[in-house]
Amino acid sequence: MGKIIDALQQALPLLGVAANVTAASTSNIFAVPDSAWKSLNDSVSGRLHLASPAGLPCFTSYESAWGLDANAPNAAQCQTVKSGLSTSLDIISRFGGYHNPTFSTCMRRGQKCTLTATEGIRNDTCFQGTVPDYYVDAQSVEDIQKSLQFAQQYKLPVTIKNTGHDYRGGSAGVNTFAIWTHNFAPDPVITENFTPDECPSPVGPVVTYHAGQIGTHLYNSLQGTGYMIVAGSCPSVGPSGGWVAGAGHGIFTPSFGLGVDNVQQMKVVLPNGTYVTANRCQNQDIFFALRGGGGGTFGVVTETTTKLHPDQEYSYAFVQLPVTDVRGANEVLVANAERWSEEGWGGVYGVLDVAGSPNLVWLGYNANLNLDEGKASLKPVTDYLEALPGSENLVSIFKTLPNQITAQNDPVLLSILLPEAGVSLTRSSRLVPKKNFQTADGQKALVDALMENKFGWGAVIASPTNYTLAESDQPGGPGESSVSPAWRDSIWHLTYTTTWDPADPVATTPEALASMFQEMSEAMDPIRAITPGAGAYQNEADVYEPDPIGSFWGEKNYARLLAIKKQLDPDNLLSCWNCIGWNVNDERHECYLNVRGIGPSN
Ligand SMILES: Cc1cc2nc3c(=O)[nH]c(=O)nc-3n(C[C@H](O)[C@H](O)[C@H](O)COP(=O)(O)OP(=O)(O)OC[C@H]3O[C@@H](n4cnc5c(N)ncnc54)[C@H](O)[C@@H]3O)c2cc1C
């Protein structure tokens, strides 16, 4: 008898015993007969598992959905989990691991199973939190079809989890049945002159990759082929998962378009278990929804086929200096923002907190400018910094990078992204339109608003400012995507960020978390006030974004997305926080806090 069946057999009898614990649950997950779970397990080749938080081996008791019980800690397993606490690839390799661990905890009840790097076995309770109760480790289209057919039969709330990077907890959910796509990752395949199914003509070179593929493997697979691709800056984000579902930006999106603009075809298992192909020639509604409508909502994407571009050399700039005159630094960055966007820079700049003091940081990659042009482009900022006291500490690196892989592996870029692993973090986003930069009054208003925030700021320069959207992808066209139209006329994806230790007992009380989320959300209000009608990037947004519909999709896209959602998933089996068609009082969201009047009322 397999280990999984043993585990299932140990757990399933608890259904009756712990009926009082689950009585408050409305999830149909507890009404599924044991025999049905067992036959699902058989149909997915033994890949059905009971889910537990990654930290469980370090605790002496465990409160799962079936109640509180003693837990036999395992020192060796505990040590293994602890040693990978802040290693992205380690975290994503565990179903119960979340890049942003707070979203696996029950924030509302202060219940968690998070670990510190120093503590060993803890005489304490590990809580299930928002970690789903069961998951299928899906490794084929058939596994996903069987799982969704099963969910349909028993009307189960479904969570889709890939890497667990989501900043708003989309890949977790209380008392849900999860489909884990991380291990569905065969090698990417290049096709030199691809014709999307049912389309009349080829679209050129593409690469096809599956649901569990991560950025770094995709980039590595293209090394030496002469091609480059638009994917995320973070090496471990899933380009076929939440990244593309939300829009998908990276260091080259200004010149080559957003992730959604580059997709040529997607394959998806719909909530009713049917497997369909979506592209510009068939299932255009689904193609629209999967590219911008948000992850975890319309089906499980199994593979994505994306355009390849000829690789080339890129100009690189990295400039950094601590600054005391924050207003002056803000002014120089705001004054030159439009120029930099027109010149095609991608990357990030801003006045960020570095080791407790404000630093002007400018990190960019450019496919259009040569080295001298790159230096000239940044002269306003380097001149400004060279004239400051302390300029002997100025870091100013300009060079030519030979190809995309060198840019994606840039140690400076990775030093910004990788420390996020295992840290709890929340952000706020605003897509700041070009027009805000075009007048002296507009620039002053922007600087004033930036000065009001206490978190420091980073402007991700990722809008497709140097990219012409194909006729087919214009509004009303067969390749239209559902991302906020604000992406098309913004210069900045402005972000504020704050972090905390997910195991810190003080920082993780419901009150402390609520006030921190509220502060982060309200910090963006002055920028919202001067950018009416603009948007926000749903994948890196405020958990309590006050206008999710207007900001993430715009009213027109939202109306179409909602109609598609109702047609594909009338029972709302697939859902997540602030996703199309969601219900804030759905049990799966019960661990969220109530902040700014947004949150579960039960
Ligand atoms: C360190 C870090 C760096 C980042 N860098 C970037 C960046 O450079 N550019 C950028 O645009 N974003 C970036 N992001 C944000 C990222 O795009 C989102 O977190 C995204 O949701 C991650 O998707 P995932 O599939 O990897 O993660 P998950 O958390 O597993 O999934 C995210 C959402 O997508 C859904 N989902 C996952 N797989 C599928 C599927 N196959 N079918 C349908 N739904 C699915 C899930 O249900 C969930 O709602 C970054 C995030 C982090 C933490």
Side-chain angles (χ1 to χ4, degrees), residues 99 160-167 170-171 211 232-234 237-238 241-243 248-249 295-296 299-301 417 420 537 539-540:
H99 223 255
I160 306 168
K161 181 173 189 261
N162 181 19
T163 68
H165 273 60
D166 202 87
Y167 285 119
S171 38
S233 306
C234 174
V237 158
W243 181 82
H249 71 68
V300 182
V301 171
L417 295 165
E420 281 194 19
Y537 182 28
N539 277 358
E540 296 178 328

PDB file of all heavy atoms in Angstrom, residues 99 160-167 170-171 211 232-234 237-238 241-243 248-249 295-296 299-301 417 420 537 539-540, ligand 1:
ATOM      1  N   HIS A  99       6.094  31.427  -0.972  1.00  0.00           N
ATOM      2  CA  HIS A  99       7.134  32.439  -1.083  1.00  0.00           C
ATOM      3  C   HIS A  99       6.894  33.555  -0.081  1.00  0.00           C
ATOM      4  O   HIS A  99       7.818  34.115   0.491  1.00  0.00           O
ATOM      5  CB  HIS A  99       7.084  33.013  -2.510  1.00  0.00           C
ATOM      6  CG  HIS A  99       8.418  33.202  -3.118  1.00  0.00           C
ATOM      7  ND1 HIS A  99       8.999  34.437  -3.257  1.00  0.00           N
ATOM      8  CD2 HIS A  99       9.295  32.310  -3.616  1.00  0.00           C
ATOM      9  CE1 HIS A  99      10.178  34.301  -3.831  1.00  0.00           C
ATOM     10  NE2 HIS A  99      10.389  33.023  -4.063  1.00  0.00           N
ATOM     11  N   ILE A 160      -5.765  26.757  -7.425  1.00  0.00           N
ATOM     12  CA  ILE A 160      -4.660  26.354  -8.309  1.00  0.00           C
ATOM     13  C   ILE A 160      -3.389  26.916  -7.702  1.00  0.00           C
ATOM     14  O   ILE A 160      -3.314  28.108  -7.393  1.00  0.00           O
ATOM     15  CB  ILE A 160      -4.844  26.920  -9.735  1.00  0.00           C
ATOM     16  CG1 ILE A 160      -6.211  26.536 -10.303  1.00  0.00           C
ATOM     17  CG2 ILE A 160      -3.721  26.436 -10.648  1.00  0.00           C
ATOM     18  CD1 ILE A 160      -6.574  27.287 -11.579  1.00  0.00           C
ATOM     19  N   LYS A 161      -2.415  26.048  -7.519  1.00  0.00           N
ATOM     20  CA  LYS A 161      -1.119  26.529  -7.005  1.00  0.00           C
ATOM     21  C   LYS A 161      -0.020  26.125  -7.976  1.00  0.00           C
ATOM     22  O   LYS A 161       0.012  24.992  -8.451  1.00  0.00           O
ATOM     23  CB  LYS A 161      -0.816  25.945  -5.622  1.00  0.00           C
ATOM     24  CG  LYS A 161       0.520  26.446  -5.067  1.00  0.00           C
ATOM     25  CD  LYS A 161       0.768  26.012  -3.632  1.00  0.00           C
ATOM     26  CE  LYS A 161       1.997  26.710  -3.071  1.00  0.00           C
ATOM     27  NZ  LYS A 161       3.208  25.887  -3.096  1.00  0.00           N
ATOM     28  N   ASN A 162       0.865  27.064  -8.235  1.00  0.00           N
ATOM     29  CA  ASN A 162       2.028  26.777  -9.070  1.00  0.00           C
ATOM     30  C   ASN A 162       3.265  26.991  -8.203  1.00  0.00           C
ATOM     31  O   ASN A 162       3.660  26.106  -7.448  1.00  0.00           O
ATOM     32  CB  ASN A 162       1.974  27.699 -10.304  1.00  0.00           C
ATOM     33  CG  ASN A 162       3.108  27.482 -11.271  1.00  0.00           C
ATOM     34  OD1 ASN A 162       3.751  26.439 -11.243  1.00  0.00           O
ATOM     35  ND2 ASN A 162       3.373  28.445 -12.121  1.00  0.00           N
ATOM     36  N   THR A 163       3.844  28.206  -8.222  1.00  0.00           N
ATOM     37  CA  THR A 163       5.046  28.451  -7.412  1.00  0.00           C
ATOM     38  C   THR A 163       4.726  28.989  -6.022  1.00  0.00           C
ATOM     39  O   THR A 163       5.611  29.056  -5.172  1.00  0.00           O
ATOM     40  CB  THR A 163       5.953  29.498  -8.088  1.00  0.00           C
ATOM     41  OG1 THR A 163       5.278  30.765  -8.062  1.00  0.00           O
ATOM     42  CG2 THR A 163       6.281  29.127  -9.524  1.00  0.00           C
ATOM     43  N   GLY A 164       3.494  29.458  -5.821  1.00  0.00           N
ATOM     44  CA  GLY A 164       3.157  30.057  -4.528  1.00  0.00           C
ATOM     45  C   GLY A 164       3.749  31.443  -4.330  1.00  0.00           C
ATOM     46  O   GLY A 164       3.947  31.882  -3.209  1.00  0.00           O
ATOM     47  N   HIS A 165       4.013  32.172  -5.440  1.00  0.00           N
ATOM     48  CA  HIS A 165       4.581  33.521  -5.333  1.00  0.00           C
ATOM     49  C   HIS A 165       3.541  34.596  -5.067  1.00  0.00           C
ATOM     50  O   HIS A 165       3.898  35.733  -4.775  1.00  0.00           O
ATOM     51  CB  HIS A 165       5.277  33.906  -6.646  1.00  0.00           C
ATOM     52  CG  HIS A 165       6.696  33.466  -6.747  1.00  0.00           C
ATOM     53  ND1 HIS A 165       7.072  32.162  -6.691  1.00  0.00           N
ATOM     54  CD2 HIS A 165       7.847  34.171  -6.921  1.00  0.00           C
ATOM     55  CE1 HIS A 165       8.385  32.073  -6.829  1.00  0.00           C
ATOM     56  NE2 HIS A 165       8.880  33.282  -6.964  1.00  0.00           N
ATOM     57  N   ASP A 166       2.288  34.264  -5.229  1.00  0.00           N
ATOM     58  CA  ASP A 166       1.265  35.309  -5.284  1.00  0.00           C
ATOM     59  C   ASP A 166       1.328  36.266  -4.092  1.00  0.00           C
ATOM     60  O   ASP A 166       1.389  35.835  -2.943  1.00  0.00           O
ATOM     61  CB  ASP A 166      -0.120  34.660  -5.357  1.00  0.00           C
ATOM     62  CG  ASP A 166      -1.133  35.611  -5.932  1.00  0.00           C
ATOM     63  OD1 ASP A 166      -1.252  35.643  -7.164  1.00  0.00           O
ATOM     64  OD2 ASP A 166      -1.777  36.324  -5.151  1.00  0.00           O
ATOM     65  N   TYR A 167       1.288  37.563  -4.380  1.00  0.00           N
ATOM     66  CA  TYR A 167       1.378  38.590  -3.333  1.00  0.00           C
ATOM     67  C   TYR A 167       0.057  38.820  -2.624  1.00  0.00           C
ATOM     68  O   TYR A 167      -0.013  39.617  -1.697  1.00  0.00           O
ATOM     69  CB  TYR A 167       1.800  39.933  -3.944  1.00  0.00           C
ATOM     70  CG  TYR A 167       3.256  40.051  -4.320  1.00  0.00           C
ATOM     71  CD1 TYR A 167       3.631  40.289  -5.636  1.00  0.00           C
ATOM     72  CD2 TYR A 167       4.254  39.961  -3.359  1.00  0.00           C
ATOM     73  CE1 TYR A 167       4.963  40.434  -5.990  1.00  0.00           C
ATOM     74  CE2 TYR A 167       5.591  40.100  -3.705  1.00  0.00           C
ATOM     75  CZ  TYR A 167       5.936  40.338  -5.018  1.00  0.00           C
ATOM     76  OH  TYR A 167       7.261  40.480  -5.364  1.00  0.00           O
ATOM     77  N   GLY A 170      -3.402  34.233  -3.738  1.00  0.00           N
ATOM     78  CA  GLY A 170      -4.254  33.551  -4.720  1.00  0.00           C
ATOM     79  C   GLY A 170      -4.029  32.058  -4.813  1.00  0.00           C
ATOM     80  O   GLY A 170      -4.903  31.326  -5.284  1.00  0.00           O
ATOM     81  N   SER A 171      -2.870  31.571  -4.368  1.00  0.00           N
ATOM     82  CA  SER A 171      -2.609  30.135  -4.499  1.00  0.00           C
ATOM     83  C   SER A 171      -2.807  29.392  -3.179  1.00  0.00           C
ATOM     84  O   SER A 171      -2.248  28.313  -2.974  1.00  0.00           O
ATOM     85  CB  SER A 171      -1.213  29.903  -5.071  1.00  0.00           C
ATOM     86  OG  SER A 171      -0.285  30.829  -4.569  1.00  0.00           O
ATOM     87  N   ALA A 211       2.660  24.370 -17.582  1.00  0.00           N
ATOM     88  CA  ALA A 211       2.161  25.128 -16.425  1.00  0.00           C
ATOM     89  C   ALA A 211       3.196  25.305 -15.320  1.00  0.00           C
ATOM     90  O   ALA A 211       3.218  26.319 -14.638  1.00  0.00           O
ATOM     91  CB  ALA A 211       0.926  24.426 -15.862  1.00  0.00           C
ATOM     92  N   GLY A 232       9.301  36.922 -16.804  1.00  0.00           N
ATOM     93  CA  GLY A 232       9.460  37.746 -15.607  1.00  0.00           C
ATOM     94  C   GLY A 232      10.910  38.007 -15.243  1.00  0.00           C
ATOM     95  O   GLY A 232      11.821  37.316 -15.693  1.00  0.00           O
ATOM     96  N   SER A 233      11.111  39.013 -14.408  1.00  0.00           N
ATOM     97  CA  SER A 233      12.456  39.293 -13.908  1.00  0.00           C
ATOM     98  C   SER A 233      12.846  38.266 -12.861  1.00  0.00           C
ATOM     99  O   SER A 233      14.009  37.894 -12.748  1.00  0.00           O
ATOM    100  CB  SER A 233      12.512  40.685 -13.275  1.00  0.00           C
ATOM    101  OG  SER A 233      12.049  41.634 -14.194  1.00  0.00           O
ATOM    102  N   CYS A 234      11.865  37.830 -12.078  1.00  0.00           N
ATOM    103  CA  CYS A 234      12.157  36.861 -11.027  1.00  0.00           C
ATOM    104  C   CYS A 234      12.369  35.487 -11.647  1.00  0.00           C
ATOM    105  O   CYS A 234      11.517  35.003 -12.387  1.00  0.00           O
ATOM    106  CB  CYS A 234      10.992  36.796 -10.045  1.00  0.00           C
ATOM    107  SG  CYS A 234      11.205  35.505  -8.821  1.00  0.00           S
ATOM    108  N   VAL A 237       9.389  32.800 -10.827  1.00  0.00           N
ATOM    109  CA  VAL A 237       7.962  33.027 -11.113  1.00  0.00           C
ATOM    110  C   VAL A 237       7.549  32.112 -12.268  1.00  0.00           C
ATOM    111  O   VAL A 237       8.361  31.752 -13.115  1.00  0.00           O
ATOM    112  CB  VAL A 237       7.724  34.522 -11.456  1.00  0.00           C
ATOM    113  CG1 VAL A 237       6.458  34.726 -12.256  1.00  0.00           C
ATOM    114  CG2 VAL A 237       7.677  35.352 -10.181  1.00  0.00           C
ATOM    115  N   GLY A 238       6.265  31.741 -12.291  1.00  0.00           N
ATOM    116  CA  GLY A 238       5.766  30.828 -13.321  1.00  0.00           C
ATOM    117  C   GLY A 238       5.226  31.575 -14.533  1.00  0.00           C
ATOM    118  O   GLY A 238       4.147  32.160 -14.464  1.00  0.00           O
ATOM    119  N   GLY A 241       1.835  30.519 -15.491  1.00  0.00           N
ATOM    120  CA  GLY A 241       0.869  30.543 -14.389  1.00  0.00           C
ATOM    121  C   GLY A 241       0.345  31.942 -14.151  1.00  0.00           C
ATOM    122  O   GLY A 241      -0.115  32.629 -15.071  1.00  0.00           O
ATOM    123  N   GLY A 242       0.453  32.394 -12.899  1.00  0.00           N
ATOM    124  CA  GLY A 242      -0.101  33.691 -12.533  1.00  0.00           C
ATOM    125  C   GLY A 242       0.541  34.855 -13.272  1.00  0.00           C
ATOM    126  O   GLY A 242      -0.099  35.882 -13.490  1.00  0.00           O
ATOM    127  N   TRP A 243       1.809  34.717 -13.645  1.00  0.00           N
ATOM    128  CA  TRP A 243       2.522  35.829 -14.301  1.00  0.00           C
ATOM    129  C   TRP A 243       1.772  36.298 -15.544  1.00  0.00           C
ATOM    130  O   TRP A 243       1.402  37.465 -15.662  1.00  0.00           O
ATOM    131  CB  TRP A 243       3.950  35.373 -14.647  1.00  0.00           C
ATOM    132  CG  TRP A 243       4.793  36.418 -15.312  1.00  0.00           C
ATOM    133  CD1 TRP A 243       5.480  37.434 -14.705  1.00  0.00           C
ATOM    134  CD2 TRP A 243       5.044  36.553 -16.721  1.00  0.00           C
ATOM    135  NE1 TRP A 243       6.142  38.192 -15.653  1.00  0.00           N
ATOM    136  CE2 TRP A 243       5.891  37.673 -16.889  1.00  0.00           C
ATOM    137  CE3 TRP A 243       4.639  35.839 -17.850  1.00  0.00           C
ATOM    138  CZ2 TRP A 243       6.339  38.094 -18.142  1.00  0.00           C
ATOM    139  CZ3 TRP A 243       5.083  36.259 -19.095  1.00  0.00           C
ATOM    140  CH2 TRP A 243       5.928  37.375 -19.234  1.00  0.00           C
ATOM    141  N   GLY A 248       2.049  40.126 -16.922  1.00  0.00           N
ATOM    142  CA  GLY A 248       3.399  39.654 -17.173  1.00  0.00           C
ATOM    143  C   GLY A 248       4.337  40.750 -17.636  1.00  0.00           C
ATOM    144  O   GLY A 248       4.352  41.111 -18.807  1.00  0.00           O
ATOM    145  N   HIS A 249       5.105  41.299 -16.680  1.00  0.00           N
ATOM    146  CA  HIS A 249       6.132  42.253 -17.098  1.00  0.00           C
ATOM    147  C   HIS A 249       7.507  41.681 -16.806  1.00  0.00           C
ATOM    148  O   HIS A 249       7.667  40.754 -16.010  1.00  0.00           O
ATOM    149  CB  HIS A 249       5.950  43.620 -16.423  1.00  0.00           C
ATOM    150  CG  HIS A 249       6.277  43.642 -14.954  1.00  0.00           C
ATOM    151  ND1 HIS A 249       7.553  43.479 -14.462  1.00  0.00           N
ATOM    152  CD2 HIS A 249       5.483  43.807 -13.864  1.00  0.00           C
ATOM    153  CE1 HIS A 249       7.537  43.558 -13.145  1.00  0.00           C
ATOM    154  NE2 HIS A 249       6.286  43.735 -12.746  1.00  0.00           N
ATOM    155  N   GLY A 295      -5.084  34.911 -12.513  1.00  0.00           N
ATOM    156  CA  GLY A 295      -4.909  33.465 -12.344  1.00  0.00           C
ATOM    157  C   GLY A 295      -6.020  32.858 -11.505  1.00  0.00           C
ATOM    158  O   GLY A 295      -6.808  33.558 -10.870  1.00  0.00           O
ATOM    159  N   GLY A 296      -6.084  31.524 -11.553  1.00  0.00           N
ATOM    160  CA  GLY A 296      -6.947  30.788 -10.637  1.00  0.00           C
ATOM    161  C   GLY A 296      -8.430  30.978 -10.850  1.00  0.00           C
ATOM    162  O   GLY A 296      -9.217  30.706  -9.941  1.00  0.00           O
ATOM    163  N   GLY A 299      -9.802  28.444 -15.424  1.00  0.00           N
ATOM    164  CA  GLY A 299      -9.411  27.084 -15.773  1.00  0.00           C
ATOM    165  C   GLY A 299      -7.955  26.911 -15.400  1.00  0.00           C
ATOM    166  O   GLY A 299      -7.322  27.839 -14.876  1.00  0.00           O
ATOM    167  N   VAL A 300      -7.423  25.717 -15.654  1.00  0.00           N
ATOM    168  CA  VAL A 300      -6.003  25.484 -15.376  1.00  0.00           C
ATOM    169  C   VAL A 300      -5.258  25.506 -16.708  1.00  0.00           C
ATOM    170  O   VAL A 300      -5.459  24.623 -17.559  1.00  0.00           O
ATOM    171  CB  VAL A 300      -5.771  24.133 -14.665  1.00  0.00           C
ATOM    172  CG1 VAL A 300      -4.283  23.950 -14.358  1.00  0.00           C
ATOM    173  CG2 VAL A 300      -6.595  24.048 -13.389  1.00  0.00           C
ATOM    174  N   VAL A 301      -4.449  26.516 -16.895  1.00  0.00           N
ATOM    175  CA  VAL A 301      -3.647  26.603 -18.121  1.00  0.00           C
ATOM    176  C   VAL A 301      -2.617  25.483 -18.076  1.00  0.00           C
ATOM    177  O   VAL A 301      -1.920  25.310 -17.070  1.00  0.00           O
ATOM    178  CB  VAL A 301      -2.947  27.977 -18.209  1.00  0.00           C
ATOM    179  CG1 VAL A 301      -1.934  28.005 -19.353  1.00  0.00           C
ATOM    180  CG2 VAL A 301      -3.982  29.081 -18.372  1.00  0.00           C
ATOM    181  N   LEU A 417      15.589  40.780  -6.106  1.00  0.00           N
ATOM    182  CA  LEU A 417      14.445  39.859  -6.129  1.00  0.00           C
ATOM    183  C   LEU A 417      14.560  38.690  -5.154  1.00  0.00           C
ATOM    184  O   LEU A 417      13.598  38.350  -4.464  1.00  0.00           O
ATOM    185  CB  LEU A 417      14.265  39.303  -7.547  1.00  0.00           C
ATOM    186  CG  LEU A 417      13.878  40.352  -8.590  1.00  0.00           C
ATOM    187  CD1 LEU A 417      14.069  39.810  -9.993  1.00  0.00           C
ATOM    188  CD2 LEU A 417      12.437  40.778  -8.378  1.00  0.00           C
ATOM    189  N   GLU A 420      13.427  38.294  -1.398  1.00  0.00           N
ATOM    190  CA  GLU A 420      11.999  38.242  -1.066  1.00  0.00           C
ATOM    191  C   GLU A 420      11.557  36.849  -0.631  1.00  0.00           C
ATOM    192  O   GLU A 420      10.501  36.689  -0.027  1.00  0.00           O
ATOM    193  CB  GLU A 420      11.156  38.639  -2.283  1.00  0.00           C
ATOM    194  CG  GLU A 420      11.079  40.121  -2.503  1.00  0.00           C
ATOM    195  CD  GLU A 420       9.985  40.485  -3.494  1.00  0.00           C
ATOM    196  OE1 GLU A 420       9.081  39.668  -3.719  1.00  0.00           O
ATOM    197  OE2 GLU A 420      10.054  41.589  -4.037  1.00  0.00           O
ATOM    198  N   TYR A 537      -1.226  47.178 -11.143  1.00  0.00           N
ATOM    199  CA  TYR A 537      -0.874  45.835 -11.628  1.00  0.00           C
ATOM    200  C   TYR A 537      -1.397  44.814 -10.637  1.00  0.00           C
ATOM    201  O   TYR A 537      -0.918  44.716  -9.514  1.00  0.00           O
ATOM    202  CB  TYR A 537       0.645  45.718 -11.793  1.00  0.00           C
ATOM    203  CG  TYR A 537       1.078  44.364 -12.330  1.00  0.00           C
ATOM    204  CD1 TYR A 537       0.237  43.605 -13.149  1.00  0.00           C
ATOM    205  CD2 TYR A 537       2.333  43.849 -12.040  1.00  0.00           C
ATOM    206  CE1 TYR A 537       0.632  42.373 -13.647  1.00  0.00           C
ATOM    207  CE2 TYR A 537       2.744  42.618 -12.540  1.00  0.00           C
ATOM    208  CZ  TYR A 537       1.888  41.883 -13.339  1.00  0.00           C
ATOM    209  OH  TYR A 537       2.273  40.661 -13.832  1.00  0.00           O
ATOM    210  N   ASN A 539      -1.015  41.747 -10.189  1.00  0.00           N
ATOM    211  CA  ASN A 539      -0.104  40.750  -9.613  1.00  0.00           C
ATOM    212  C   ASN A 539       0.788  41.331  -8.522  1.00  0.00           C
ATOM    213  O   ASN A 539       1.433  40.583  -7.797  1.00  0.00           O
ATOM    214  CB  ASN A 539       0.803  40.168 -10.701  1.00  0.00           C
ATOM    215  CG  ASN A 539       0.130  39.055 -11.472  1.00  0.00           C
ATOM    216  OD1 ASN A 539      -0.997  38.689 -11.170  1.00  0.00           O
ATOM    217  ND2 ASN A 539       0.812  38.523 -12.466  1.00  0.00           N
ATOM    218  N   GLU A 540       0.877  42.653  -8.461  1.00  0.00           N
ATOM    219  CA  GLU A 540       1.763  43.256  -7.458  1.00  0.00           C
ATOM    220  C   GLU A 540       1.013  44.365  -6.732  1.00  0.00           C
ATOM    221  O   GLU A 540       1.576  45.390  -6.373  1.00  0.00           O
ATOM    222  CB  GLU A 540       3.046  43.768  -8.140  1.00  0.00           C
ATOM    223  CG  GLU A 540       3.827  42.599  -8.723  1.00  0.00           C
ATOM    224  CD  GLU A 540       5.092  42.969  -9.474  1.00  0.00           C
ATOM    225  OE1 GLU A 540       5.148  44.038 -10.083  1.00  0.00           O
ATOM    226  OE2 GLU A 540       6.023  42.159  -9.461  1.00  0.00           O
TER     227      GLU A 540
HETATM  228  C1  LIG B   1       9.994  37.627  -5.931  1.00  0.00           C
HETATM  229  C2  LIG B   1       8.913  37.954  -6.919  1.00  0.00           C
HETATM  230  C3  LIG B   1       9.253  38.536  -8.126  1.00  0.00           C
HETATM  231  C4  LIG B   1       8.276  38.833  -9.069  1.00  0.00           C
HETATM  232  N1  LIG B   1       8.650  39.359 -10.267  1.00  0.00           N
HETATM  233  C5  LIG B   1       7.712  39.633 -11.196  1.00  0.00           C
HETATM  234  C6  LIG B   1       8.076  40.141 -12.476  1.00  0.00           C
HETATM  235  O1  LIG B   1       9.231  40.346 -12.791  1.00  0.00           O
HETATM  236  N2  LIG B   1       7.083  40.422 -13.347  1.00  0.00           N
HETATM  237  C7  LIG B   1       5.772  40.226 -13.053  1.00  0.00           C
HETATM  238  O2  LIG B   1       4.932  40.495 -13.899  1.00  0.00           O
HETATM  239  N3  LIG B   1       5.409  39.725 -11.862  1.00  0.00           N
HETATM  240  C8  LIG B   1       6.339  39.425 -10.937  1.00  0.00           C
HETATM  241  N4  LIG B   1       5.960  38.916  -9.727  1.00  0.00           N
HETATM  242  C9  LIG B   1       4.535  38.719  -9.460  1.00  0.00           C
HETATM  243  C10 LIG B   1       4.057  37.430 -10.096  1.00  0.00           C
HETATM  244  O3  LIG B   1       3.733  37.672 -11.444  1.00  0.00           O
HETATM  245  C11 LIG B   1       2.820  36.926  -9.357  1.00  0.00           C
HETATM  246  O4  LIG B   1       3.162  36.633  -8.027  1.00  0.00           O
HETATM  247  C12 LIG B   1       2.206  35.715 -10.020  1.00  0.00           C
HETATM  248  O5  LIG B   1       0.905  35.564  -9.520  1.00  0.00           O
HETATM  249  C13 LIG B   1       2.993  34.451  -9.785  1.00  0.00           C
HETATM  250  O6  LIG B   1       2.423  33.385 -10.489  1.00  0.00           O
HETATM  251  P1  LIG B   1       2.860  31.882 -10.144  1.00  0.00           P
HETATM  252  O7  LIG B   1       2.070  30.980 -11.005  1.00  0.00           O
HETATM  253  O8  LIG B   1       4.331  31.825 -10.216  1.00  0.00           O
HETATM  254  O9  LIG B   1       2.469  31.771  -8.597  1.00  0.00           O
HETATM  255  P2  LIG B   1       1.260  31.123  -7.781  1.00  0.00           P
HETATM  256  O10 LIG B   1       1.236  31.849  -6.489  1.00  0.00           O
HETATM  257  O11 LIG B   1       1.398  29.666  -7.697  1.00  0.00           O
HETATM  258  O12 LIG B   1      -0.036  31.462  -8.614  1.00  0.00           O
HETATM  259  C14 LIG B   1      -0.474  32.797  -8.742  1.00  0.00           C
HETATM  260  C15 LIG B   1      -1.921  32.846  -9.212  1.00  0.00           C
HETATM  261  O13 LIG B   1      -2.041  32.241 -10.492  1.00  0.00           O
HETATM  262  C16 LIG B   1      -2.900  31.114 -10.444  1.00  0.00           C
HETATM  263  N5  LIG B   1      -2.315  30.079 -11.297  1.00  0.00           N
HETATM  264  C17 LIG B   1      -1.085  29.534 -11.187  1.00  0.00           C
HETATM  265  N6  LIG B   1      -0.905  28.638 -12.164  1.00  0.00           N
HETATM  266  C18 LIG B   1      -2.028  28.624 -12.915  1.00  0.00           C
HETATM  267  C19 LIG B   1      -2.445  27.904 -14.077  1.00  0.00           C
HETATM  268  N7  LIG B   1      -1.665  26.994 -14.662  1.00  0.00           N
HETATM  269  N8  LIG B   1      -3.675  28.154 -14.580  1.00  0.00           N
HETATM  270  C20 LIG B   1      -4.487  29.079 -14.007  1.00  0.00           C
HETATM  271  N9  LIG B   1      -4.146  29.777 -12.903  1.00  0.00           N
HETATM  272  C21 LIG B   1      -2.922  29.554 -12.372  1.00  0.00           C
HETATM  273  C22 LIG B   1      -3.018  30.739  -8.978  1.00  0.00           C
HETATM  274  O14 LIG B   1      -4.253  30.151  -8.691  1.00  0.00           O
HETATM  275  C23 LIG B   1      -2.877  32.088  -8.301  1.00  0.00           C
HETATM  276  O15 LIG B   1      -4.121  32.737  -8.303  1.00  0.00           O
HETATM  277  C24 LIG B   1       6.918  38.585  -8.778  1.00  0.00           C
HETATM  278  C25 LIG B   1       6.573  38.000  -7.560  1.00  0.00           C
HETATM  279  C26 LIG B   1       7.552  37.688  -6.639  1.00  0.00           C
HETATM  280  C27 LIG B   1       7.158  37.071  -5.328  1.00  0.00           C
END
